[in-house]
Amino acid sequence: MAEIVYPPVIKAAKGLFKALNLKFRLEGTENIPATGGAVLVSNHVSYLDFIFAGLGAYPAGRLVRFMAKKEIFDNRIAGPLMRGMHHIPVDRQAGAASYKAALNALKSGEVIGVFAEATISRSFTVKDIKSGAVRMAVAANVPLVPMAIWGPQRLWTKGRPRRLFQRGVPITILVGEPMHPKRGDDYDQVTKELRQRISDLLEKAQREYPDIPAADEKWWQPAYLDGAAPTPEEAEALDAAEAEERAARRAAREAREQG
């Protein structure tokens, strides 16, 4: 397919990274297959993760097609860019079409990027993940590649103001060894192993991160490292409350439309 949008977007992003003096640590990029399909599965700590997950595949010469919620594609600015880079919209009310599109892309040799937690983790630990990424890799007969990202939450994450132009922030991107699930495997067990691999990579990134937050900046550090981020249990409660509010707004909107 023609790549008119993706290369200049990458060039612009790298120029911005340089201007902001972002300090990158990339490890394991050799684990991204140089050719053929693959499912790249990353943790999710910020609204910018697709940029940095894509950067992790760039040394292998691969362009990642991310699965992202359709609301992003509906945005008048982000939408044309997302479509131009051939990312895949996901309608949570009708996921079959996006799954089919991703499967076709994998079979044609593309790398598909998945944030299997579905939403940003407020605790900055890996939430429970579903088996969709594993099933997709098996159906397309391609490897699963775990990835962990750490640092972008300091720029823009859920519940915090945007600080997109903060200078000198370290960004860690760690890529794990590929997994090769096959038909007949216990998909739930493979998913548990995938989650553990991502968690191990993330913990390594967090423990080896070069910056230590100041007293008033501990919000971006996980609780298990004496940070002020919510614990996984607290984060789950916050997510549940947010889901209830979203459902209430949707019901109110539908009632108005019907009235």
Side-chain angles (χ1 to χ4, degrees):
M1 65 181 76
E3 297 296 349
I4 300 172
V5 177
Y6 218 142
V9 167
I10 291 174
K11 185 176 181 180
K14 292 179 76 173
L16 180 60
F17 298 158
K18 185 175 181 180
L20 294 176
N21 193 31
L22 299 187
K23 302 171 183 177
F24 287 95
R25 172 191 174 189
L26 276 73
E27 290 185 8
T29 57
E30 70 278 3
N31 289 317
I32 305 290
T35 59
V39 180
L40 181 65
V41 189
S42 174
N43 69 310
H44 202 4
V45 295
S46 84
Y47 292 109
L48 305 173
D49 290 340
F50 72 96
I51 298 174
F52 297 109
L55 183 66
Y58 197 65
R62 306 305 304 271
L63 298 177
V64 183
R65 316 298 176 180
F66 287 97
M67 301 184 74
K69 60 184 181 181
K70 69 176 289 292
E71 288 81 359
I72 300 175
F73 292 78
D74 294 337
N75 182 278
R76 64 185 182 87
I77 297 174
L81 289 174
M82 296 293 282
R83 287 187 289 272
M85 290 185 281
H86 307 294
H87 296 315
I88 300 171
V90 177
D91 184 346
R92 292 176 181 173
Q93 305 302 315
S98 57
Y99 180 86
K100 182 178 179 181
L103 204 58
N104 288 338
L106 287 169
K107 290 179 178 179
S108 67
E110 298 284 354
V111 177
I112 297 298
V114 176
F115 296 106
E117 297 166 278
T119 59
I120 290 172
S121 171
R122 299 174 192 260
S123 68
F124 303 138
T125 60
V126 181
K127 298 163 53 128
D128 288 338
I129 64 177
K130 296 183 178 180
S131 61
V134 174
R135 295 177 184 277
M136 195 158 51
V138 171
N141 192 28
V142 299
L144 276 171
V145 183
M147 171 183 279
I149 299 171
W150 187 241
Q153 78 280 4
R154 298 174 62 182
L155 302 174
W156 188 16
T157 193
K158 184 177 288 188
R160 305 293 307 187
R162 287 188 294 257
R163 301 196 298 186
L164 298 176
F165 299 105
Q166 186 176 185
R167 295 179 56 81
V169 173
I171 305 292
T172 300
I173 305 167
L174 304 182
V175 186
E177 293 184 2
M179 301 170 62
H180 299 274
K182 59 185 184 300
R183 294 186 188 278
D185 285 349
D186 183 332
Y187 294 163
D188 289 337
Q189 187 57 45
V190 176
T191 300
K192 288 180 182 178
E193 182 182 348
L194 172 63
R195 179 178 180 272
Q196 187 60 55
R197 291 195 185 195
I198 297 171
S199 295
D200 290 345
L201 289 169
L202 179 58
E203 182 172 348
K204 175 181 171 67
Q206 291 170 337
R207 290 191 181 278
E208 297 177 359
Y209 194 66
D211 279 8
I212 298 174
D216 60 347
E217 287 285 302
K218 285 193 171 185
W219 62 266
W220 60 257
Q221 187 83 307
Y224 85 93
L225 288 178
D226 195 33
T231 65
E233 294 76 19
E234 292 168 342
E236 185 176 358
L238 289 169
D239 287 343
E242 182 182 61
E244 288 181 6
E245 291 176 7
R246 190 165 54 243
R249 289 196 301 269
R250 186 184 307 116
R253 183 174 63 250
E254 290 174 354
R256 287 195 301 270
E257 292 172 353
Q258 292 174 0

